[in-house]
Amino acid sequence: MFRKILIANRGEIAVRLIRACRDLGISPVAVYSEADRHALHVRLADEAYFIGEAPAAQSYLVGEKIIDAARKSGAEAIHPGYGFLSEREWFARAVADAGLTFIGPSPHSIELMGDKTNARVAAIKAGAPIVPGTTEPIKDETGAVQTGREIGYPVMLKASAGGGGKGMRIVRNDEEMAAAFQMASAEAQAAFGDASVYVEKLIERPRHIEIQIAADKHGNIIHLGERECSVQRRHQKVIEECPASFNDAALRERMGAAAIEIARAADYFSVGTIEFLVDVERNFYFLEMNTRLQVEHPVTELVTGVDLVREQIRIAAGEPLAYRQEDIHWTGSALECRVYAEDPANNFLPSPGKITRLRTPAGPGVRDDSGVYEGWEVPLFYDPMISKLATWGATRAEAIARMKRALGEYHVGGIRTTIPFFLSVLEDPEFCQGDIDTGYIARFLARQNAIAAEDASQEELQTVAAIVAALDYTQTAKTSAQADTSTQPSASQWKQAGRMAALHRR
Ligand code: MV4
């Protein structure tokens, strides 16, 4: 086993990796940029190396600086976390060339799965279902129309080099195809430097379900069940859960088996995730593979009891998996909310700044993977996620109730966070019934906006009523004074006048 590991990341995931190192008796080494001098991960590590200016392109994305820091510290391995260098095949190769161990899969697996059409070919080889469509890029508009007809509309154009929704276009008929093909190609070229586009059948109202796998360097592969990640906003996951509320043991078994075969076809070792779309009839289709530890791994850990980071480190060190498939059991239900320094009342605008007060939730079934502390300033240079709040319950309803309890305890002063947004989602009957798909959040926000607009027009009406009533009261008072009677305004008139005063204070 390694004696020292360099952690090539920041924020909550760096803290999570440091904790795994401690549990294994390994000394954790941090790296930090100018903006992270006082960050939590730097404080918790045994040593920390400065790697450059705040922009990630000058620090966390510079492989050479990170490998230099590893050499200086005497670390034997580098953990990339997620994002940054985690899925750069050249970095995995450079780490190996420096005589160090990359805690992740081989450069070959990263490269293979990085290309979506290659990944589809690997899935076919594995005998796994893929979304009907092409495994070769489309040549021109004529080819696009022909393919659209063959597959049957509606279809989706996707960038071969893509992911994350860029270069994607829905096409519903021949007439739309030519323009959509041009747009998708141009977008793919701009975003990935590769204009290749392929075609898939459009899956309407799909769920995003992913299978966690773990594979060692001795050919053993297991799956750890699914996570439901359908609750997304603009291709960013917001709430994840394990298990998926619609799932059952039989479907989990089939999806797990498909995921294992796909991992085998990619000669995969390390932990990894196979993404699927699941349609309304519960058919599942391979989408892509993520060749890294994922943000949402804690929900799987809470339900299976497996420490995925520990397994990932053990695998990198060449040890066999500590579990056989029959050792994996799923108990209860877990949810995760990604808490962001963003203002949900202002279209999720980033809200960096100093955390002046911090009270974090705890108690039965609560896990808070945080990267911040009171008095620290959230920098504007990186992803503004400040913590991942996860809860476990014997049932999904209990996990939801505990999440509400935990969010209620959570107080972050000085910056805006997405905590109030989560509280409103957890009150939504559709969410609570598990009635979710990848379009859920867009529909939820549209509904909320409609309610807000209705409230605003109601308030306007009340304001007009208040002005009319107040004018009427002034008239009445004058008349009363003249008539020398002791007319008192009614309680409701006071309320209206109060509303008018409030209007003037705005
Ligand atoms: C799809 C799809 C429907 N049909 N493919 C979006 C990101 C990219 N990785 C895959 N995506 C989708 N591919 C077919 N053939 C719907 C989506 C999709 C989506 C997928 C997963 C999570 C959220 C999503 C939100 C919108 C669309």
Side-chain angles (χ1 to χ4, degrees):
M1 184 42 72
F2 310 116
R3 280 176 300 111
K4 209 183 247 200
I5 292 176
L6 182 127
I7 291 156
N9 216 301
R10 63 178 303 283
E12 69 82 21
I13 195 63
V15 172
R16 169 71 185 90
L17 301 177
I18 289 168
R19 288 179 175 143
C21 287
R22 298 272 177 230
D23 286 350
L24 285 163
I26 297 169
S27 173
V29 180
V31 292
Y32 62 96
S33 71
E34 188 61 47
D36 279 337
R37 272 186 192 282
H38 307 290
L40 184 60
H41 75 280
V42 174
R43 297 193 168 189
L44 293 179
D46 284 344
E47 301 163 58
Y49 291 80
F50 177 72
I51 51 166
E53 294 310 305
Q58 293 170 52
S59 49
Y60 298 107
L61 287 171
V62 186
E64 243 173 80
K65 290 184 179 182
I66 286 161
I67 291 170
D68 275 352
R71 277 215 196 88
K72 265 187 218 142
S73 71
E76 304 111 310
I78 297 182
H79 198 307
Y82 54 69
F84 295 136
L85 297 170
S86 59
E87 289 177 287
R88 305 288 169 93
E89 137 278 328
W90 59 263
F91 180 67
R93 201 162 275 135
V95 171
D97 290 347
L100 305 168
T101 303
F102 179 76
I103 303 179
S106 68
H108 164 76
S109 298
I110 297 174
E111 195 170 18
L112 176 70
M113 288 303 179
D115 181 291
K116 305 302 157 207
T117 41
N118 280 346
R120 281 164 67 78
V121 172
I124 293 169
K125 226 190 276 170
I130 62 167
V131 185
T134 64
T135 49
E136 297 282 334
I138 302 294
K139 287 192 180 66
D140 51 28
E141 290 172 21
T142 323
V145 169
Q146 202 182 321
T147 313
R149 284 185 191 172
E150 277 165 22
I151 296 166
Y153 294 107
V155 299
M156 201 173 228
L157 294 175
K158 291 187 174 186
S160 305
K166 281 219 186 74
M168 263 173 35
R169 277 285 181 294
I170 293 173
V171 184
R172 298 197 176 271
N173 51 53
D174 281 358
E175 289 68 45
E176 287 178 14
M177 185 56 103
F181 176 75
Q182 294 300 342
M183 297 262 272
S185 284
E187 220 173 289
Q189 178 66 42
F192 312 109
D194 178 353
S196 309
V197 164
Y198 67 102
V199 184
E200 281 182 7
K201 177 104 190 139
L202 177 73
I203 310 294
E204 311 226 38
R205 291 202 163 214
R207 289 177 183 258
H208 172 127
I209 306 293
E210 56 187 33
I211 300 283
Q212 176 71 56
I213 62 109
D216 65 22
K217 293 178 177 176
H218 310 280
N220 304 301
I221 313 178
I222 61 169
H223 77 85
L224 295 103
E226 81 281 7
R227 290 185 287 261
E228 162 122 24
C229 307
S230 297
V231 180
Q232 307 203 354
R233 183 183 162 270
R234 299 187 175 175
H235 300 297
Q236 290 274 64
K237 293 168 189 164
V238 171
I239 301 178
E240 302 99 342
E241 42 187 306
C242 177
S245 59
F246 77 94
N247 210 4
D248 58 39
L251 183 54
R252 176 172 306 122
E253 177 58 39
R254 289 201 291 130
M255 293 182 77
I260 287 172
E261 291 316 313
I262 292 168
R264 206 186 306 283
D267 290 324
Y268 200 84
F269 57 77
S270 189
V271 298
T273 299
I274 322 282
E275 295 184 356
F276 295 95
L277 290 180
V278 178
D279 69 15
V280 290
E281 274 130 30
R282 293 162 46 104
N283 299 303
F284 64 90
Y285 309 93
F286 169 73
L287 200 55
E288 48 195 77
M289 179 169 190
N290 299 316
T291 56
R292 59 167 190 275
L293 178 73
Q294 289 202 252
V295 176
E296 59 271 25
H297 74 275
V299 290
T300 300
E301 295 188 325
L302 286 170
V303 168
T304 61
V306 174
D307 182 332
L308 288 168
V309 181
R310 181 208 299 242
E311 278 313 294
Q312 190 185 24
I313 294 170
R314 291 183 66 259
I315 291 164
E319 293 185 18
L321 284 179
Y323 303 86
R324 294 160 301 173
Q325 189 62 54
E326 56 268 35
D327 299 328
I328 304 300
H329 303 282
W330 294 270
T331 307
S333 187
L335 282 183
E336 175 182 278
C337 291
R338 298 191 185 188
V339 179
Y340 274 84
E342 288 177 347
D343 185 0
N346 202 353
N347 200 27
F348 296 87
L349 203 73
S351 178
K354 185 167 175 162
I355 295 174
T356 54
R357 284 273 186 281
L358 184 63
R359 180 182 62 219
T360 54
V366 174
R367 167 173 168 180
D368 181 35
D369 282 48
S370 170
V372 305
Y373 58 87
E374 186 172 298
W376 188 61
E377 193 169 327
V378 181
L380 47 73
F381 293 95
Y382 315 108
D383 182 280
M385 188 173 76
I386 58 172
S387 101
K388 301 182 312 205
L389 182 59
T391 56
W392 179 91
T395 61
R396 184 171 184 265
E398 188 178 49
I400 291 173
R402 281 176 162 170
M403 184 60 84
K404 287 189 200 172
R405 183 239 296 163
L407 289 164
E409 287 179 20
Y410 215 147
H411 176 73
V412 186
I415 59 169
R416 302 283 176 168
T417 74
T418 49
I419 290 169
F421 167 72
F422 289 121
L423 282 166
S424 63
V425 172
L426 297 180
E427 292 296 336
D428 181 35
E430 285 185 21
F431 177 82
C432 292
Q433 285 154 29
D435 191 5
I436 51 182
D437 61 70
T438 55
Y440 168 77
I441 284 292
R443 293 194 303 272
F444 174 81
L445 287 173
R447 241 192 298 143
Q448 297 278 105
N449 283 338
I451 292 167
E454 175 66 16
D455 283 355
S457 79
Q458 280 299 318
E459 200 172 314
E460 233 167 85
L461 257 173
Q462 283 173 353
T463 304
V464 171
I467 291 166
V468 170
L471 283 172
D472 182 52
Y473 166 63
T474 317
Q475 281 307 112
T476 312
K478 270 189 201 155
T479 327
S480 306
Q482 280 161 4
D484 190 30
T485 51
S486 51
T487 312
Q488 291 291 316
S490 72
S492 79
Q493 277 176 309
W494 281 120
K495 231 187 241 172
Q496 306 276 27
R499 280 207 188 101
M500 200 159 99
L503 180 73
H504 287 298
R505 279 198 299 273
R506 274 206 268 198

mmCIF file of all heavy atoms in Angstrom, residues 156-177:
data_model
loop_
_atom_site.group_PDB
_atom_site.id
_atom_site.type_symbol
_atom_site.label_atom_id
_atom_site.label_comp_id
_atom_site.label_asym_id
_atom_site.label_seq_id
_atom_site.Cartn_x
_atom_site.Cartn_y
_atom_site.Cartn_z
ATOM 1 N N MET A 156 -31.922 12.671 -32.396
ATOM 2 C CA MET A 156 -31.065 13.661 -31.762
ATOM 3 C C MET A 156 -29.709 13.636 -32.436
ATOM 4 O O MET A 156 -29.146 12.560 -32.665
ATOM 5 C CB MET A 156 -30.926 13.313 -30.283
ATOM 6 C CG MET A 156 -30.497 14.486 -29.438
ATOM 7 S SD MET A 156 -30.552 14.009 -27.717
ATOM 8 C CE MET A 156 -31.425 15.375 -27.037
ATOM 9 N N LEU A 157 -29.188 14.817 -32.790
ATOM 10 C CA LEU A 157 -27.824 14.937 -33.300
ATOM 11 C C LEU A 157 -26.922 15.185 -32.105
ATOM 12 O O LEU A 157 -27.249 15.987 -31.230
ATOM 13 C CB LEU A 157 -27.724 16.114 -34.275
ATOM 14 C CG LEU A 157 -28.504 15.980 -35.582
ATOM 15 C CD1 LEU A 157 -28.395 17.276 -36.386
ATOM 16 C CD2 LEU A 157 -27.983 14.814 -36.399
ATOM 17 N N LYS A 158 -25.787 14.493 -32.064
ATOM 18 C CA LYS A 158 -24.862 14.655 -30.944
ATOM 19 C C LYS A 158 -23.429 14.766 -31.447
ATOM 20 O O LYS A 158 -23.069 14.149 -32.443
ATOM 21 C CB LYS A 158 -24.945 13.443 -30.005
ATOM 22 C CG LYS A 158 -26.233 13.337 -29.247
ATOM 23 C CD LYS A 158 -26.147 12.219 -28.223
ATOM 24 C CE LYS A 158 -27.385 12.214 -27.359
ATOM 25 N NZ LYS A 158 -27.269 11.216 -26.266
ATOM 26 N N ALA A 159 -22.607 15.516 -30.723
ATOM 27 C CA ALA A 159 -21.189 15.655 -31.052
ATOM 28 C C ALA A 159 -20.455 14.377 -30.647
ATOM 29 O O ALA A 159 -20.616 13.899 -29.525
ATOM 30 C CB ALA A 159 -20.600 16.849 -30.318
ATOM 31 N N SER A 160 -19.621 13.822 -31.558
ATOM 32 C CA SER A 160 -18.853 12.605 -31.238
ATOM 33 C C SER A 160 -17.913 12.836 -30.065
ATOM 34 O O SER A 160 -17.701 11.964 -29.229
ATOM 35 C CB SER A 160 -18.030 12.160 -32.449
ATOM 36 O OG SER A 160 -18.851 11.979 -33.572
ATOM 37 N N ALA A 161 -17.315 14.029 -30.028
ATOM 38 C CA ALA A 161 -16.338 14.346 -28.980
ATOM 39 C C ALA A 161 -17.023 14.910 -27.741
ATOM 40 O O ALA A 161 -16.361 15.327 -26.797
ATOM 41 C CB ALA A 161 -15.320 15.349 -29.514
ATOM 42 N N GLY A 162 -18.349 14.912 -27.754
ATOM 43 C CA GLY A 162 -19.134 15.722 -26.814
ATOM 44 C C GLY A 162 -19.369 15.181 -25.429
ATOM 45 O O GLY A 162 -18.555 14.460 -24.875
ATOM 46 N N GLY A 163 -20.503 15.507 -24.924
ATOM 47 C CA GLY A 163 -20.884 15.302 -23.533
ATOM 48 C C GLY A 163 -21.389 16.622 -23.005
ATOM 49 O O GLY A 163 -21.107 17.664 -23.612
ATOM 50 N N GLY A 164 -22.160 16.534 -21.942
ATOM 51 C CA GLY A 164 -22.639 17.752 -21.297
ATOM 52 C C GLY A 164 -23.639 18.560 -22.100
ATOM 53 O O GLY A 164 -23.910 19.707 -21.771
ATOM 54 N N GLY A 165 -24.206 17.961 -23.167
ATOM 55 C CA GLY A 165 -25.304 18.635 -23.866
ATOM 56 C C GLY A 165 -24.878 19.589 -24.970
ATOM 57 O O GLY A 165 -25.729 20.073 -25.709
ATOM 58 N N LYS A 166 -23.573 19.862 -25.107
ATOM 59 C CA LYS A 166 -23.118 20.782 -26.168
ATOM 60 C C LYS A 166 -23.170 20.080 -27.525
ATOM 61 O O LYS A 166 -22.829 18.921 -27.635
ATOM 62 C CB LYS A 166 -21.680 21.240 -25.900
ATOM 63 C CG LYS A 166 -21.599 22.336 -24.868
ATOM 64 C CD LYS A 166 -20.533 23.372 -25.239
ATOM 65 C CE LYS A 166 -20.359 24.394 -24.135
ATOM 66 N NZ LYS A 166 -19.630 23.821 -22.965
ATOM 67 N N GLY A 167 -23.605 20.834 -28.548
ATOM 68 C CA GLY A 167 -23.672 20.279 -29.890
ATOM 69 C C GLY A 167 -24.829 19.311 -30.074
ATOM 70 O O GLY A 167 -24.839 18.550 -31.038
ATOM 71 N N MET A 168 -25.792 19.324 -29.143
ATOM 72 C CA MET A 168 -26.959 18.442 -29.243
ATOM 73 C C MET A 168 -28.126 19.177 -29.909
ATOM 74 O O MET A 168 -28.347 20.337 -29.629
ATOM 75 C CB MET A 168 -27.400 18.013 -27.830
ATOM 76 C CG MET A 168 -26.881 16.667 -27.416
ATOM 77 S SD MET A 168 -27.244 16.252 -25.690
ATOM 78 C CE MET A 168 -28.835 16.968 -25.399
ATOM 79 N N ARG A 169 -28.849 18.499 -30.804
ATOM 80 C CA ARG A 169 -30.011 19.091 -31.471
ATOM 81 C C ARG A 169 -31.098 18.041 -31.662
ATOM 82 O O ARG A 169 -30.804 16.937 -32.112
ATOM 83 C CB ARG A 169 -29.632 19.614 -32.867
ATOM 84 C CG ARG A 169 -28.996 20.991 -32.901
ATOM 85 C CD ARG A 169 -30.035 22.089 -32.674
ATOM 86 N NE ARG A 169 -29.446 23.409 -32.725
ATOM 87 C CZ ARG A 169 -28.567 23.892 -31.840
ATOM 88 N NH1 ARG A 169 -28.177 23.169 -30.831
ATOM 89 N NH2 ARG A 169 -28.082 25.113 -31.972
ATOM 90 N N ILE A 170 -32.314 18.393 -31.332
ATOM 91 C CA ILE A 170 -33.445 17.503 -31.606
ATOM 92 C C ILE A 170 -33.953 17.811 -33.015
ATOM 93 O O ILE A 170 -34.078 18.974 -33.381
ATOM 94 C CB ILE A 170 -34.577 17.715 -30.571
ATOM 95 C CG1 ILE A 170 -34.100 17.252 -29.182
ATOM 96 C CG2 ILE A 170 -35.847 16.968 -30.984
ATOM 97 C CD1 ILE A 170 -35.055 17.573 -28.054
ATOM 98 N N VAL A 171 -34.219 16.753 -33.802
ATOM 99 C CA VAL A 171 -34.735 16.930 -35.161
ATOM 100 C C VAL A 171 -36.001 16.093 -35.306
ATOM 101 O O VAL A 171 -35.992 14.899 -35.019
ATOM 102 C CB VAL A 171 -33.692 16.499 -36.217
ATOM 103 C CG1 VAL A 171 -34.207 16.780 -37.623
ATOM 104 C CG2 VAL A 171 -32.362 17.204 -35.986
ATOM 105 N N ARG A 172 -37.089 16.747 -35.757
ATOM 106 C CA ARG A 172 -38.387 16.059 -35.787
ATOM 107 C C ARG A 172 -38.839 15.647 -37.184
ATOM 108 O O ARG A 172 -39.777 14.872 -37.326
ATOM 109 C CB ARG A 172 -39.462 16.912 -35.112
ATOM 110 C CG ARG A 172 -39.134 17.166 -33.640
ATOM 111 C CD ARG A 172 -40.315 17.631 -32.817
ATOM 112 N NE ARG A 172 -39.917 17.744 -31.421
ATOM 113 C CZ ARG A 172 -39.987 16.768 -30.531
ATOM 114 N NH1 ARG A 172 -40.465 15.576 -30.885
ATOM 115 N NH2 ARG A 172 -39.580 16.949 -29.287
ATOM 116 N N ASN A 173 -38.181 16.177 -38.237
ATOM 117 C CA ASN A 173 -38.548 15.797 -39.606
ATOM 118 C C ASN A 173 -37.427 16.151 -40.583
ATOM 119 O O ASN A 173 -36.473 16.835 -40.216
ATOM 120 C CB ASN A 173 -39.870 16.475 -40.020
ATOM 121 C CG ASN A 173 -39.823 17.974 -39.755
ATOM 122 O OD1 ASN A 173 -38.894 18.654 -40.198
ATOM 123 N ND2 ASN A 173 -40.803 18.474 -39.008
ATOM 124 N N ASP A 174 -37.574 15.701 -41.837
ATOM 125 C CA ASP A 174 -36.587 15.965 -42.902
ATOM 126 C C ASP A 174 -36.273 17.449 -43.029
ATOM 127 O O ASP A 174 -35.120 17.833 -43.200
ATOM 128 C CB ASP A 174 -37.149 15.507 -44.259
ATOM 129 C CG ASP A 174 -37.033 14.002 -44.455
ATOM 130 O OD1 ASP A 174 -36.480 13.335 -43.552
ATOM 131 O OD2 ASP A 174 -37.507 13.512 -45.500
ATOM 132 N N GLU A 175 -37.323 18.282 -42.971
ATOM 133 C CA GLU A 175 -37.175 19.721 -43.216
ATOM 134 C C GLU A 175 -36.234 20.377 -42.205
ATOM 135 O O GLU A 175 -35.482 21.279 -42.540
ATOM 136 C CB GLU A 175 -38.547 20.429 -43.187
ATOM 137 C CG GLU A 175 -39.456 20.112 -44.373
ATOM 138 C CD GLU A 175 -39.951 18.657 -44.389
ATOM 139 O OE1 GLU A 175 -40.366 18.169 -43.302
ATOM 140 O OE2 GLU A 175 -39.897 18.006 -45.453
ATOM 141 N N GLU A 176 -36.283 19.888 -40.960
ATOM 142 C CA GLU A 176 -35.448 20.496 -39.910
ATOM 143 C C GLU A 176 -33.998 20.022 -39.969
ATOM 144 O O GLU A 176 -33.125 20.633 -39.365
ATOM 145 C CB GLU A 176 -36.014 20.136 -38.513
ATOM 146 C CG GLU A 176 -37.286 20.851 -38.137
ATOM 147 C CD GLU A 176 -37.805 20.402 -36.768
ATOM 148 O OE1 GLU A 176 -37.056 19.748 -36.015
ATOM 149 O OE2 GLU A 176 -38.970 20.710 -36.466
ATOM 150 N N MET A 177 -33.755 18.910 -40.680
ATOM 151 C CA MET A 177 -32.464 18.229 -40.563
ATOM 152 C C MET A 177 -31.256 19.052 -41.044
ATOM 153 O O MET A 177 -30.254 19.147 -40.333
ATOM 154 C CB MET A 177 -32.506 16.878 -41.276
ATOM 155 C CG MET A 177 -31.256 16.041 -41.108
ATOM 156 S SD MET A 177 -30.830 15.725 -39.374
ATOM 157 C CE MET A 177 -31.375 14.037 -39.175
#
